[in-house]
Amino acid sequence: MAATIASFKVDYFQFLDETGQLVDGTQIPALARDMKQLTSLYELMTLTRVFDKKAVALQRTGKLGTYASSLGHEAAHAAIGSAMREEDCFCPMYREYAAQFYRGVKMSEVLMYWGGDERGNDFSGPAHDFPWCVPIATQCLHAAGAAMAYKLNEQKRVAVTVVGDGGSSKGDFLEAINAASAWKLPLVLVIVNNQWAISVPRSKQNSARTLAQKGIAGGLPSIQVDGNDLIATRWAMDKAISAAREGRGASVIEMLTYRLSDHTTADDARRYRPEDEVDTAWKKEPLVRLRNYLSDQGEWDEVKEEQLLKDCADRVNAAVEEYTDRVENDPQPIEAMFKYMFKNLPHHLEEQLEIAKRFPAKGGHH
Amino acid sequence: MAATIASFKVDYFQFLDETGQLVDGTQIPALARDMKQLTSLYELMTLTRVFDKKAVALQRTGKLGTYASSLGHEAAHAAIGSAMREEDCFCPMYREYAAQFYRGVKMSEVLMYWGGDERGNDFSGPAHDFPWCVPIATQCLHAAGAAMAYKLNEQKRVAVTVVGDGGSSKGDFLEAINAASAWKLPLVLVIVNNQWAISVPRSKQNSARTLAQKGIAGGLPSIQVDGNDLIATRWAMDKAISAAREGRGASVIEMLTYRLSDHTTADDARRYRPEDEVDTAWKKEPLVRLRNYLSDQGEWDEVKEEQLLKDCADRVNAAVEEYTDRVENDPQPIEAMFKYMFKNLPHHLEEQLEIAKRFPAKGGHH
Amino acid sequence: MAQITLVEAVTMALAHEMKEDPTVVVFGEDVGVNGGVFRATAGLQKEFGDERVIDTPLAEVMIAGMCVGMASQGLKPVVEAQFEGFMYPMVDHVVNHAARLRHRTRGRMSCPAVFRAPWGGGIHAPEHHSDSNEATWAHFPGVRTVIPSSPSRAYGLLLAAIRDPDPVVFLEPKRIYRWQREEVEDDGEELPLDVCFVLRDGTDVTLVTWGAMVKETMEAAVALEKEGVSAEVIDVATVAPLDMETIVESVEKTGRCVIVHEAPKHCGVGAEIAAGLADQGVWHLKAPVKRVTGYDTVMPLYRNEMNYMPSAERIVHAAKETLEYA
Amino acid sequence: MAQITLVEAVTMALAHEMKEDPTVVVFGEDVGVNGGVFRATAGLQKEFGDERVIDTPLAEVMIAGMCVGMASQGLKPVVEAQFEGFMYPMVDHVVNHAARLRHRTRGRMSCPAVFRAPWGGGIHAPEHHSDSNEATWAHFPGVRTVIPSSPSRAYGLLLAAIRDPDPVVFLEPKRIYRWQREEVEDDGEELPLDVCFVLRDGTDVTLVTWGAMVKETMEAAVALEKEGVSAEVIDVATVAPLDMETIVESVEKTGRCVIVHEAPKHCGVGAEIAAGLADQGVWHLKAPVKRVTGYDTVMPLYRNEMNYMPSAERIVHAAKETLEYA
Ligand SMILES: Cc1ncc(C[n+]2csc(CCOP(=O)(O)OP(=O)(O)O)c2C)c(N)n1
Ligand SMILES: Cc1ncc(C[n+]2csc(CCOP(=O)(O)OP(=O)(O)O)c2C)c(N)n1
Ligand SMILES: [Mg+2]
Ligand SMILES: [Mg+2]
């Protein structure tokens, strides 16, 4: 007997094409007609981009440490953040600022973190949201664990996590898929595939047609969307989150986008990445197409754009002020190195704190 | 635009049904007509079962340490071993004796290993074959690495590894699939799904329809076969190995079988497993159906069976002799604890060796 | 009051805390119906249900990683690794996340989890079932490492570990899981973490140990007594952070110290104790500080296992060496 | 002869061995076109091709596990972990397999592999990019742990590590990757593993260290000299196995010892050295053995980083403490 006992597929979704036209021959999500939502998300995406540019500039002038840019990822990140509820848990990697801004994290807090001050992780977003996660893909299991907690506590909460194309090769992500399958967890696993893992192109992570199909290992609904199309990214998130919230389990969404920046400010992509690839990618970036769409709908124009850019610049500058003021005029004391290691400072750390106080670094951190 | 960009399926194969009849309506592999092969593999499976019974008995009488039985897995293991070439690399878990016997590992060596003597790992099988592997699923990455070495050295060699239904949840296995996909490795990943991971049933590992579909994550050809049907297991192995050898990359084969024994002699499956499930499983076990088939073909009869069982008993007894003689009359010296740690014994170990010699255990190992 | 073994004391402590605190969940391989391969969780799933005593898929990275997520969202997971040799895949999540979550977030989040594992050699098990890796855990900031050596300490210290607001690695000496029985009242009385327990008073030499080696060390102390040598025996119990004070005090009295552990010698916890003496106790030392430990080799398969394990004889010999110095 | 930095010496050693030995392959994330995030493998892929300088998918367990497989089948993989903080997922395969394969198979198989990683703090990088985890590796039997502290030692020790028939963890002090330039001849001359290097002769106190802390320790020695104190400086270089002999010899001469490392104090490699002195060197000690180390905390983000790192000032202070004893 030879019988096919299981079949699977990965569908791709795009609603707003590169020029900002709605793709026809498809049922367009209601969001496409919700001008208020779209406009405010466009504003969030623009703010994020203005912030991003500023952060890179701060690093270049020595006012910030290594910084991971989100340039080009705005439609993916804005959709992720805006589709979630306050009580849901976000487990980010390290560049999902738009999602975090939507959830209440302040720009100044992002700067604190990359500015070498742990207080940035004690942010104004939901207290149950995870801080930035450096060890690649580990956040996926934290999200699975959070989802498990919600399920055991019968809370209608969802955990959402993000992993990159590179991170999708790591066991942590793959085991999270398996865990989600085993326990039918209220979890959304988003692969933000920006084509590069530092210098390693997507094609070297594996030879499969999609990364989304990794979800099939656990039998999870797995789709791929145009990660630069806010309508598609948000539609996919809404679908996955409501499935999770209603007890239908986890899903995998692969968002196809492009890292328009260097990996971080410590990286120089020209060493390994053809310029023309980047030029082509710029033609697909998420903001322009959304702006064109909004303009065609009569919802946006030059004047509004100028005003928005000015507001964003002002808000970003205020955030930079807040950041520099805090780290310079209210730096963390040496105690801060010790007092959060345990809830109650153990004896041996008290002794070490005394030594640390006695031998502070000469001339601060430089 | 909503388009299906990738589709996948998992096929199931069975050629010899539980009664030993060829399944009709299917193209039957040539092996079904190769009576010489089938007979010798039946003999190997029988020998393995006789050996297994003896090993368990030895443990019960204190002559062997913890032992992992292969009862019920013989069709899977015999197919794996017999489909490989000497120069291929086998990375076992811990119960694939039939495969190892075929490759030249001696029964006495298996007993040495479970008898607490590392010399069992210095076995008579191919010198490049891996020893038994205790940390679950880690052998999958060793196999991927071996396959990588063969590929880089342009050798037409294949690495074959085995993982259980439980082990298929572990990142090591999942990352091996991804690596195989990334480099198109000459690798065969066999999941011997015996329905249980100690006390944890297959259904708790995840909720997917098959375990084979984990290979889809890497876009690998992935199939499921009746693991108690030697013709199906061997046919699947031949197919996968030749694909690997000819540069067409890796595959995943899920062999559905059943652990008819306790997990190991240290386990008592009655604590967690319904007896009737085991009774049902016995009706599907691999030896009887193959014997029936061979009998129907006029290739086997009572006399041959009796003769075979007698030969097996003799060989197993001889192996037990060899084992007990070696561990009792030629035990490893205390030096053995030290001399293989590094190629050349470092200074600090020389000193420790002196201490060890000076303070040997009282009354041997008990 | 029941006479129970060390492993039964573990079960009793788990059951007690699960009754007291509904956020406590047991999470691991075979912990459910099977009650763990050593029966440490026997009966708990029946009593508390499979939503609180949870069998996991076979994936230690997943177990540790999910534990961090669960602990951060209001649960108190008590993870069981089936054997200490299978904890290595957990290292990344324990040291990079569990041990750092509170610190990383300036106290906004925390990870009140316990990572239990049967630990140590001497049961004639296969490879990876007999290691002593406490030093691996002890070196990492942000996590406590606790090792009981008797039924009552197993009960009291495990209660304390579960109640502790920060992550604790709790290593259970499997060799003595069923060695002695002790009367242990299920009164919910915890024992203090971060302190040593003086098991025997003595004046001539201080024997410092933990875990199953307490057995051989006490035997050695008795043997020494027969020869007129009075040995003080200290069970360290919490190997990180270390209660150096109690040890130094003892050595101030005896002037001699022999440290005993099953783990390999090089960079074992014994080194930290000897180093503490080389600093704070140096003026009191009447003899070199000796370490009787496992060798810097892999624990052999069982036929040679007892040639690896430190014996009472070796401890006595080392103690006498220290007594050769006036 | 070229004046090169430590990281350039690493590259030179890799290139030299890849020329000499066709079985040597470089295996890791971003080691190819990008030449590694610190450029340690810069130019190697161009010279040796992408079948010998191999960019891997992002999966450290895979990297370490495949490395075991590759090494067992005739290759000599030199793995690069991008930062020491990302080595934890490798622990399982390194300690449970790489370090044991020869032992497990009674010499039938072996694992001649090198696990390289930029290691240590002081470069103002994000979390997990500044740890010092040498003690984690040093405790495990069957693997060597080697740490260079100058361009010439990086070249000579890495050659030795690659040629060694057993696994070596090779930790590169990233803070001094580009600190000094030295004339290093590309002559394929290796330096011995398992021995300390005496960097400076002295008679009053022995300063023992390794890695980037050699910088502060030498500064301290110079400062002490100005005050008439003659400090001997020892670079341990191989932290496992340890060349205790050289250290004890030195302390026999000086009677005082200060051990310096960046890693947390508790159960750090400094403890093993102090323990060795408490045993073999105790009669020569004129003062307590002091340790100047990182604190038992997580390495802070960069604004506090320098408050964590041991300074020359702290070393000088500790040395003077030991000199208060006649
Ligand atoms: C476990 C681990 N290994 C390596 C690194 C170093 N590293 C930081 S980001 C990165 C690439 C990540 O690529 P991807 O997952 O695609 O995410 P992206 O940065 O492209 O958004 C690497 C290798 C790390 N942070 N963690
Ligand atoms: C990493 C690791 N975790 C746990 C164990 C303990 N253990 C040994 S066998 C086993 C179950 C394995 O089940 P499966 O993978 O289905 O293989 P089977 O024994 O059924 O053939 C477990 C949990 C182990 N050996 N290694
Ligand atoms: Mg990427
Ligand atoms: Mg199984």
Side-chain angles (χ1 to χ4, degrees):
Chain A
M1 166 181 53
T4 296
I5 51 170
S7 349
F8 313 93
K9 64 187 179 56
V10 174
D11 291 338
Y12 172 85
F13 297 89
Q14 181 199 47
F15 300 114
L16 199 59
D17 71 17
E18 301 166 20
T19 68
Q21 301 299 309
L22 286 178
V23 180
D24 43 51
T26 328
Q27 194 187 6
I28 301 295
L31 174 65
R33 267 158 232 84
D34 184 344
M35 294 306 151
K36 210 164 140 302
Q37 269 264 33
L38 287 181
T39 312
S40 74
L41 289 175
Y42 173 70
E43 287 165 358
L44 171 65
M45 289 160 65
T46 305
L47 175 67
T48 307
R49 186 165 290 188
V50 172
F51 168 82
D52 197 83
K53 193 151 187 267
K54 182 61 157 199
V56 172
L58 287 172
Q59 189 280 334
R60 299 292 183 226
T61 54
K63 297 196 183 62
L64 195 71
T66 302
Y67 170 79
S69 163
S70 70
L71 189 65
H73 306 73
E74 297 86 354
H77 300 163
I80 292 165
S82 61
M84 295 174 68
R85 291 192 190 157
E86 208 274 349
E87 66 266 28
D88 295 338
C89 183
F90 185 47
C91 302
M93 38 197 280
Y94 39 77
R95 55 172 108 244
E96 296 74 35
Y97 312 119
Q100 293 176 305
F101 292 157
Y102 191 97
R103 289 180 66 71
V105 175
K106 291 166 144 190
M107 290 185 281
S108 59
E109 292 162 342
V110 177
L111 295 174
M112 297 273 285
Y113 173 72
W114 293 110
D117 188 320
E118 289 86 354
R119 289 175 298 182
N121 279 331
D122 184 15
F123 49 52
S124 310
H128 55 267
D129 273 13
F130 267 76
W132 291 282
C133 184
V134 173
I136 295 294
T138 52
Q139 70 278 4
C140 300
L141 286 168
H142 305 159
M148 185 74 161
Y150 304 151
K151 180 170 182 149
L152 294 176
N153 294 335
E154 288 164 356
Q155 299 168 302
K156 280 194 160 305
R157 300 167 67 181
V158 177
V160 176
T161 191
V162 185
V163 71
D165 43 304
S168 78
S169 293
K170 203 152 167 280
D172 299 66
F173 171 67
L174 303 167
E175 289 188 358
I177 287 170
N178 195 69
S181 171
W183 286 298
K184 225 165 189 288
L185 297 176
L187 176 66
V188 179
L189 295 151
V190 182
I191 304 168
V192 175
N193 175 357
N194 62 8
Q195 310 305 328
W196 290 88
I198 307 188
S199 72
V200 181
R202 154 66 184 92
S203 59
K204 285 194 173 180
Q205 294 298 330
N206 76 18
S207 61
R209 171 78 179 76
T210 70
L211 294 177
Q213 73 202 64
K214 295 186 185 201
I216 293 171
L220 307 184
S222 306
I223 64 170
Q224 192 183 60
V225 302
D226 179 342
N228 294 340
D229 167 7
L230 177 75
I231 298 173
T233 53
R234 177 59 193 273
W235 169 81
M237 285 303 299
D238 288 339
K239 199 151 148 297
I241 286 181
S242 50
R245 203 180 306 282
E246 289 152 24
R248 283 180 279 117
S251 346
V252 172
I253 303 169
E254 179 184 4
M255 299 184 177
L256 288 176
T257 179
Y258 192 86
R259 195 194 79 209
L260 291 167
S261 63
D262 291 336
H263 169 66
T264 65
T265 51
D267 174 52
D268 177 2
R270 286 166 306 183
R271 272 210 294 264
Y272 53 78
R273 191 167 72 167
E275 283 300 320
D276 61 344
E277 180 184 299
V278 183
D279 300 338
T280 321
W282 267 107
K283 300 199 182 72
K284 306 181 181 174
E285 70 88 31
L287 269 66
V288 171
R289 75 170 78 177
L290 183 55
R291 189 190 318 144
N292 291 343
Y293 177 69
L294 289 172
S295 307
D296 295 349
Q297 308 296 311
E299 295 288 330
W300 202 255
D301 58 34
E302 285 308 321
V303 184
K304 286 183 170 154
E305 180 71 12
E306 245 171 65
Q307 185 55 47
L308 172 62
L309 290 173
K310 202 191 151 308
D311 298 348
C312 293
D314 295 345
R315 290 176 60 188
V316 168
N317 290 332
V320 174
E321 285 282 313
E322 201 179 321
Y323 155 66
T324 37
D325 178 60
R326 188 114 187 258
V327 294
E328 282 167 20
N329 305 327
D330 175 25
Q332 292 192 100
I334 283 178
E335 284 77 356
M337 292 202 306
F338 296 84
K339 74 188 265 208
Y340 305 103
M341 287 304 300
F342 297 93
K343 186 144 200 284
N344 311 307
L345 195 64
H347 181 60
H348 73 297
L349 287 186
E350 275 173 25
E351 291 166 5
Q352 295 187 8
L353 170 57
E354 290 317 307
I355 302 173
K357 282 186 185 161
R358 180 150 174 207
F359 296 99
K362 295 262 174 302
H365 74 84
H366 286 303
Chain B
M1 167 182 50
T4 296
I5 52 171
S7 356
F8 313 93
K9 65 188 178 56
V10 173
D11 291 340
Y12 172 85
F13 297 90
Q14 180 198 49
F15 300 115
L16 200 59
D17 71 17
E18 301 167 18
T19 67
Q21 301 298 309
L22 286 178
V23 181
D24 43 49
T26 328
Q27 196 188 6
I28 301 295
L31 174 64
R33 270 158 230 84
D34 184 343
M35 295 305 153
K36 209 164 141 305
Q37 269 265 35
L38 288 182
T39 312
S40 73
L41 290 176
Y42 173 71
E43 287 164 1
L44 171 65
M45 290 160 64
T46 305
L47 176 67
T48 307
R49 187 165 291 188
V50 172
F51 168 81
D52 197 81
K53 193 154 188 264
K54 182 63 159 196
V56 172
L58 287 172
Q59 189 280 333
R60 299 292 184 225
T61 54
K63 296 195 182 65
L64 195 71
T66 302
Y67 170 79
S69 163
S70 69
L71 189 64
H73 306 74
E74 297 87 354
H77 298 163
I80 291 165
S82 61
M84 295 175 68
R85 290 190 190 157
E86 208 275 351
E87 66 266 29
D88 295 337
C89 183
F90 185 46
C91 302
M93 38 198 280
Y94 39 77
R95 55 171 108 245
E96 295 74 33
Y97 313 118
Q100 294 176 304
F101 291 158
Y102 191 99
R103 290 180 66 70
V105 175
K106 292 175 162 180
M107 289 185 281
S108 59
E109 291 162 343
V110 177
L111 295 174
M112 298 271 287
Y113 173 73
W114 293 110
D117 188 320
E118 289 86 354
R119 290 174 298 183
N121 279 330
D122 184 14
F123 49 51
S124 310
H128 55 267
D129 272 14
F130 266 77
W132 290 281
C133 184
V134 173
I136 295 294
T138 52
Q139 70 277 4
C140 301
L141 286 169
H142 304 159
M148 184 74 162
Y150 304 151
K151 180 169 182 151
L152 294 176
N153 294 335
E154 288 165 355
Q155 298 168 303
K156 280 194 161 306
R157 299 166 68 181
V158 178
V160 176
T161 191
V162 185
V163 71
D165 43 305
S168 78
S169 294
K170 204 154 167 276
D172 299 66
F173 171 67
L174 303 167
E175 289 188 359
I177 287 170
N178 195 67
S181 171
W183 286 297
K184 226 165 188 289
L185 297 176
L187 176 67
V188 179
L189 295 151
V190 183
I191 304 167
V192 176
N193 174 356
N194 63 7
Q195 311 305 328
W196 291 88
I198 307 187
S199 72
V200 181
R202 156 63 184 97
S203 59
K204 284 193 174 180
Q205 293 297 332
N206 76 17
S207 62
R209 171 78 178 76
T210 70
L211 295 176
Q213 71 202 64
K214 295 186 184 200
I216 293 171
L220 307 184
S222 307
I223 64 170
Q224 192 183 61
V225 303
D226 179 343
N228 293 339
D229 168 8
L230 177 75
I231 297 175
T233 53
R234 176 59 192 271
W235 168 81
M237 286 303 299
D238 289 339
K239 199 152 149 295
I241 286 181
S242 51
R245 203 180 306 282
E246 290 153 20
R248 281 181 280 116
S251 348
V252 171
I253 304 170
E254 179 184 5
M255 299 185 179
L256 287 177
T257 180
Y258 192 87
R259 194 194 80 209
L260 291 168
S261 63
D262 291 335
H263 169 66
T264 65
T265 53
D267 174 52
D268 177 2
R270 284 165 310 183
R271 271 209 297 263
Y272 53 78
R273 192 165 73 167
E275 283 301 321
D276 59 343
E277 180 185 300
V278 182
D279 301 338
T280 321
W282 267 107
K283 301 200 181 74
K284 306 181 181 175
E285 69 88 29
L287 269 67
V288 172
R289 74 171 77 179
L290 182 54
R291 189 191 317 147
N292 291 343
Y293 176 69
L294 289 170
S295 307
D296 294 350
Q297 307 295 311
E299 296 287 330
W300 202 254
D301 57 34
E302 284 310 319
V303 186
K304 286 185 171 154
E305 180 70 12
E306 244 170 64
Q307 185 55 48
L308 172 62
L309 290 174
K310 201 192 152 309
D311 297 349
C312 292
D314 295 345
R315 291 176 60 188
V316 169
N317 290 332
V320 174
E321 286 280 315
E322 200 179 324
Y323 155 66
T324 37
D325 179 62
R326 188 115 187 257
V327 294
E328 282 166 19
N329 305 325
D330 173 27
Q332 290 193 98
I334 281 178
E335 286 76 356
M337 291 202 304
F338 296 85
K339 73 187 265 210
Y340 305 103
M341 287 303 300
F342 297 94
K343 188 146 198 288
N344 312 307
L345 195 66
H347 181 59
H348 72 297
L349 287 186
E350 277 172 21
E351 290 167 6
Q352 295 187 9
L353 170 57
E354 290 317 307
I355 302 174
K357 282 186 184 159
R358 179 149 174 209
F359 296 98
K362 296 262 174 300
H365 74 83
H366 285 303
Chain C
M1 194 160 49
Q3 288 271 349
I4 60 172
T5 61
L6 198 158
V7 68
E8 287 164 348
V10 166
T11 315
M12 193 163 90
L14 288 168
H16 186 281
E17 270 325 88
M18 292 188 80
K19 272 195 224 85
E20 290 293 303
D21 182 349
T23 68
V24 174
V25 298
V26 169
F27 195 65
E29 296 157 8
D30 303 290
V31 296
V33 191
N34 197 37
V37 294
F38 286 100
R39 334 280 314 113
T41 57
L44 295 181
Q45 191 177 65
K46 202 183 206 103
E47 183 173 358
F48 300 99
D50 60 8
E51 300 223 312
R52 292 193 61 198
V53 180
I54 305 165
D55 277 322
T56 66
L58 207 172
E60 282 75 13
V61 175
M62 177 206 76
I63 291 172
M66 285 184 69
C67 172
V68 171
M70 290 158 77
S72 74
Q73 306 298 311
L75 294 180
K76 280 195 158 195
V78 179
V79 157
E80 175 176 299
Q82 202 156 81
F83 285 86
E84 75 294 315
F86 310 130
M87 293 182 97
Y88 299 116
M90 299 183 167
V91 168
D92 188 38
H93 279 279
V94 174
V95 311
N96 272 343
H97 292 301
R100 295 168 172 229
L101 198 53
R102 178 188 299 279
H103 182 82
R104 180 178 295 149
T105 60
R106 306 287 90 170
R108 175 171 64 88
M109 299 178 100
S110 66
C111 190
V114 177
F115 300 87
R116 291 181 46 241
W119 157 93
I123 65 160
H124 282 21
E127 195 186 347
H128 309 288
H129 292 66
S130 308
D131 295 354
S132 295
N133 47 21
E134 68 273 19
T136 303
W137 299 112
H139 181 56
F140 294 117
V143 57
R144 280 185 167 76
T145 304
V146 178
I147 305 173
S149 66
S150 74
S152 55
R153 282 189 294 281
Y155 178 77
L157 292 172
L158 182 51
L159 286 181
I162 298 172
R163 293 169 186 171
D164 191 85
D166 292 300
V168 176
V169 170
F170 194 83
L171 302 171
E172 301 166 6
K174 63 175 87 85
R175 181 164 60 100
I176 57 169
Y177 258 157
R178 296 177 172 79
W179 166 51
Q180 10 142 245
R181 292 186 165 276
E182 217 178 26
E183 291 215 335
V184 183
E185 203 180 336
D186 190 9
D187 56 6
E189 284 299 320
E190 66 182 70
L191 285 169
L193 301 175
D194 306 1
V195 300
C196 297
F197 296 85
V198 178
L199 303 186
R200 192 178 197 281
D201 292 323
T203 54
D204 301 333
V205 58
T206 302
L207 308 180
V208 181
T209 191
W210 52 92
M213 274 299 144
V214 161
K215 179 171 177 293
E216 284 66 29
T217 306
M218 289 299 269
E219 287 167 13
V222 170
L224 286 164
E225 182 160 48
K226 292 211 181 70
E227 311 190 27
V229 177
S230 160
E232 181 143 305
V233 177
I234 295 176
D235 172 9
V236 173
T238 299
V239 297
L242 196 62
D243 169 15
M244 211 44 222
E245 226 172 300
T246 301
I247 297 167
V248 171
E249 255 172 41
S250 173
V251 173
E252 282 176 10
K253 179 175 58 175
T254 63
R256 301 175 181 85
C257 186
V258 175
I259 302 151
V260 182
H261 60 71
E262 216 177 281
K265 180 178 190 181
H266 192 75
C267 293
V269 173
E272 180 59 41
I273 294 166
L277 292 173
D279 183 358
Q280 308 160 45
V282 71
W283 301 132
H284 308 286
L285 290 175
K286 299 196 191 117
V289 176
K290 292 292 169 190
R291 286 180 284 165
V292 175
T293 70
Y295 304 113
D296 291 318
T297 68
V298 173
M299 169 68 82
L301 292 188
Y302 75 78
R303 287 193 191 261
N304 253 327
E305 185 174 24
M306 288 312 163
N307 284 321
Y308 177 96
M309 306 280 285
S311 60
E313 184 194 3
R314 264 182 78 194
I315 301 166
V316 168
H317 176 82
K320 286 187 183 163
E321 266 185 280
T322 66
L323 287 153
E324 284 164 15
Y325 305 87
Chain D
M1 192 160 52
Q3 288 272 348
I4 60 172
T5 61
L6 197 159
V7 67
E8 287 165 349
V10 166
T11 315
M12 193 163 89
L14 288 169
H16 187 280
E17 270 327 87
M18 293 188 79
K19 272 196 224 82
E20 289 293 303
D21 181 349
T23 68
V24 174
V25 298
V26 169
F27 195 65
E29 296 157 7
D30 303 290
V31 296
V33 191
N34 198 37
V37 293
F38 286 100
R39 336 280 313 114
T41 58
L44 295 180
Q45 190 176 66
K46 204 182 204 104
E47 182 173 358
F48 299 99
D50 61 8
E51 298 223 313
R52 292 192 62 199
V53 181
I54 305 165
D55 277 322
T56 66
L58 206 172
E60 282 75 13
V61 175
M62 177 206 77
I63 291 171
M66 285 185 70
C67 172
V68 171
M70 291 160 78
S72 73
Q73 306 297 311
L75 293 180
K76 279 196 160 198
V78 180
V79 158
E80 176 175 299
Q82 202 157 81
F83 285 87
E84 76 293 315
F86 310 131
M87 294 181 96
Y88 299 116
M90 299 182 167
V91 168
D92 188 39
H93 279 278
V94 174
V95 311
N96 271 344
H97 292 301
R100 296 169 173 228
L101 198 54
R102 180 187 298 280
H103 182 81
R104 180 178 296 149
T105 61
R106 306 287 91 170
R108 175 170 65 86
M109 300 179 98
S110 65
C111 189
V114 177
F115 300 88
R116 292 180 45 241
W119 158 91
I123 64 160
H124 283 20
E127 194 187 348
H128 309 288
H129 292 67
S130 309
D131 296 353
S132 295
N133 47 22
E134 68 274 18
T136 303
W137 300 111
H139 180 56
F140 294 116
V143 57
R144 281 186 166 75
T145 304
V146 178
I147 305 172
S149 66
S150 75
S152 55
R153 282 189 294 281
Y155 179 76
L157 292 173
L158 182 52
L159 287 180
I162 298 172
R163 293 169 187 171
D164 191 84
D166 292 299
V168 176
V169 170
F170 194 82
L171 302 171
E172 301 166 6
K174 64 176 85 88
R175 181 164 61 98
I176 57 169
Y177 258 155
R178 297 180 170 79
W179 168 51
Q180 12 143 242
R181 294 187 163 275
E182 220 178 25
E183 291 212 335
V184 185
E185 204 178 336
D186 190 8
D187 55 7
E189 285 297 321
E190 66 183 69
L191 285 169
L193 301 177
D194 305 359
V195 300
C196 297
F197 296 86
V198 179
L199 303 186
R200 192 175 196 283
D201 292 324
T203 54
D204 302 331
V205 57
T206 302
L207 308 179
V208 180
T209 190
W210 51 91
M213 274 298 143
V214 162
K215 179 171 178 295
E216 285 65 30
T217 306
M218 289 299 267
E219 287 166 11
V222 170
L224 286 164
E225 181 160 52
K226 292 214 180 71
E227 310 189 29
V229 177
S230 160
E232 182 143 304
V233 176
I234 295 177
D235 172 11
V236 173
T238 300
V239 297
L242 196 62
D243 169 15
M244 213 40 225
E245 228 172 298
T246 302
I247 297 168
V248 171
E249 257 173 40
S250 172
V251 174
E252 281 176 9
K253 180 174 58 176
T254 62
R256 301 175 182 84
C257 185
V258 176
I259 302 152
V260 182
H261 61 70
E262 215 176 283
K265 180 178 189 181
H266 192 74
C267 293
V269 173
E272 181 59 41
I273 295 167
L277 292 173
D279 182 359
Q280 308 160 46
V282 72
W283 300 132
H284 308 288
L285 289 176
K286 300 196 192 118
V289 177
K290 291 291 168 190
R291 286 181 285 165
V292 176
T293 70
Y295 304 113
D296 290 318
T297 69
V298 173
M299 169 68 84
L301 292 187
Y302 75 78
R303 286 191 192 264
N304 254 327
E305 186 174 23
M306 287 314 166
N307 284 321
Y308 178 96
M309 306 280 285
S311 61
E313 185 195 2
R314 264 182 78 193
I315 301 166
V316 168
H317 177 83
K320 286 186 183 164
E321 266 184 278
T322 67
L323 287 153
E324 284 164 16
Y325 304 87

